[in-house]
Amino acid sequence: MNNTADSSTAKPLITVAGAASKQGRSVAAALLASGRFRVRALTRRTDSPPVRELAERGAEIVVAPLELGHRAELTAALRGSHGAFLMTPPIVKEPPADLEYTLGVELADAAHAAGVEHVIWSGLENVEARTGGTKWAPHFTDKARVEDHIRGLPLRSSFLYLAFFYSNFLEYYVPQRGPDGSLTFAIYLPPDAPMPFVDPLTATGPAVLEVLTHPETYAGAILPVIGEILTAREMVDTFVRVTGRKAHYASAYTRQELLQHFPAFGANEWLVRELVGMVEYAAEYGYYAPARDLEWSRRIDPNALSWEQFLRRSQWRGELMSFGTAPGA
């Protein structure tokens, strides 16, 4: 008898949707490192470096893309799982299409059909409800609508709300270099409004591990995942101090400013509306609803990266970086 194999099989199986994403990779890596769970990683393709790395760490790799029309495959991929981390990929909403909400519901229903006992959903606040419909940020609101659907299913559920990603500046809002080599750090927020940020590549996993370790404690809970709360001006000042590069803050908060600094966004009007609505919501109403516990993730994960720690770990100096991947992360 192979005692090692028997012990491994006895560990609860957790399926991670979108395993090649920053959040998914973080979850899979943390669960595997804990030694307490088996991991099934759902992915579109098996040959990407992140997926190969998860396989080398011991994850079971299953091809199951996060796309509509694959409920049967998703149900099969989730079968046998004690728990599941579910998320939707970035989807720009173009009305009347309702792709993100529909996909989220399909994922949740597949988990229920597969007999999953505990779903952890990567969600966000309901902007439409909080603002009385005055702000349009569907990738927030549609995740909240999926949460409502999940709460109606006969299974245990918990909800992580990740802050703005530090990696947004590495991937999408990359600083622009001037003729003298100095950087214009165009940020989508007002200069002095404190906002929550996080590194999803390192913070998501510890949060999910905590929830799965104490499932009854977190049944039905909404859990903000935050690395640091700071202002846009503080972000630039820290960048200058850590990197030694010359840089200054510039506002990309309004529609005009956003398109001035990042004209490529103008190719998709719905994306522009989404980005402007999102930042206006965050600045005017607060990223999180007032009752949220903004200290939770730092309590359960004291090593959650601050902006300065993220800069030092990633060794980022203002250049475009793919997927926000830090060396050795």
Side-chain angles (χ1 to χ4, degrees), residues 79-95:
R79 192 162 286 122
S81 304
H82 167 75
F85 174 75
L86 304 181
M87 58 170 288
T88 44
I91 300 173
V92 177
K93 185 163 186 170
E94 299 186 14

Side-chain angles (χ1 to χ4, degrees), residues 78-147:
L78 285 156
R79 192 162 286 122
S81 304
H82 167 75
F85 174 75
L86 304 181
M87 58 170 288
T88 44
I91 300 173
V92 177
K93 185 163 186 170
E94 299 186 14
D98 211 4
L99 300 182
E100 183 162 11
Y101 170 73
T102 306
L103 176 58
V105 167
E106 195 167 279
L107 275 167
D109 288 349
H112 176 230
V116 174
E117 296 180 31
H118 191 166
V119 162
I120 300 174
W121 171 249
S122 180
L124 288 168
E125 301 283 0
N126 190 323
V127 169
E128 183 174 344
R130 286 201 68 206
T131 69
T134 62
K135 304 298 180 186
W136 196 71
H139 80 283
F140 275 64
T141 297
D142 288 351
K143 287 180 174 63
R145 293 169 60 208
V146 174
E147 175 183 326

Side-chain angles (χ1 to χ4, degrees), residues 8 11-17 19 24-42 54-55 57-62 77 81 83 85 208-209 212:
S8 175
K11 297 175 183 177
L13 173 65
I14 308 300
T15 293
V16 178
R25 287 150 59 189
S26 181
V27 171
L31 296 182
L32 290 168
S34 77
R36 302 201 297 271
F37 299 94
R38 291 178 292 141
V39 170
R40 180 178 292 158
L42 307 189
L54 289 178
R57 293 185 180 189
E60 174 192 0
I61 309 300
V62 174
S81 304
F85 174 75
V208 171
L209 178 60
L212 291 173

Side-chain angles (χ1 to χ4, degrees), residues 37-215:
F37 299 94
R38 291 178 292 141
V39 170
R40 180 178 292 158
L42 307 189
T43 182
R44 179 188 304 274
R45 39 181 287 208
T46 62
D47 59 346
S48 69
V51 173
R52 289 201 302 267
E53 182 177 346
L54 289 178
E56 291 169 0
R57 293 185 180 189
E60 174 192 0
I61 309 300
V62 174
V63 175
L66 294 183
E67 297 174 353
L68 286 176
H70 293 272
R71 179 173 165 176
E73 295 101 308
L74 289 169
T75 301
L78 285 156
R79 192 162 286 122
S81 304
H82 167 75
F85 174 75
L86 304 181
M87 58 170 288
T88 44
I91 300 173
V92 177
K93 185 163 186 170
E94 299 186 14
D98 211 4
L99 300 182
E100 183 162 11
Y101 170 73
T102 306
L103 176 58
V105 167
E106 195 167 279
L107 275 167
D109 288 349
H112 176 230
V116 174
E117 296 180 31
H118 191 166
V119 162
I120 300 174
W121 171 249
S122 180
L124 288 168
E125 301 283 0
N126 190 323
V127 169
E128 183 174 344
R130 286 201 68 206
T131 69
T134 62
K135 304 298 180 186
W136 196 71
H139 80 283
F140 275 64
T141 297
D142 288 351
K143 287 180 174 63
R145 293 169 60 208
V146 174
E147 175 183 326
D148 291 341
H149 179 79
I150 292 173
R151 289 184 181 277
L153 297 175
L155 46 74
R156 179 182 288 134
S157 54
S158 308
F159 307 91
L160 301 185
Y161 287 10
L162 271 74
F164 283 128
F165 293 179
Y166 297 138
S167 50
N168 287 345
F169 302 108
L170 286 66
E171 299 179 282
Y172 308 116
Y173 300 88
V174 182
Q176 299 152 3
R177 189 184 310 276
D180 62 351
S182 65
L183 297 176
T184 298
F185 219 120
I187 297 182
Y188 48 86
L189 294 166
D192 299 309
M195 288 289 163
F197 282 87
V198 74
D199 174 27
L201 196 58
T202 56
T204 317
V208 171
L209 178 60
E210 168 71 11
V211 171
L212 291 173
T213 302
H214 305 284

Side-chain angles (χ1 to χ4, degrees), residues 166 189 193-197 228-232 234-235 238 307:
Y166 297 138
L189 294 166
M195 288 289 163
F197 282 87
E228 184 177 10
I229 297 175
L230 71 172
T231 69
E234 288 170 339
M235 296 191 83
T238 300
W307 172 235

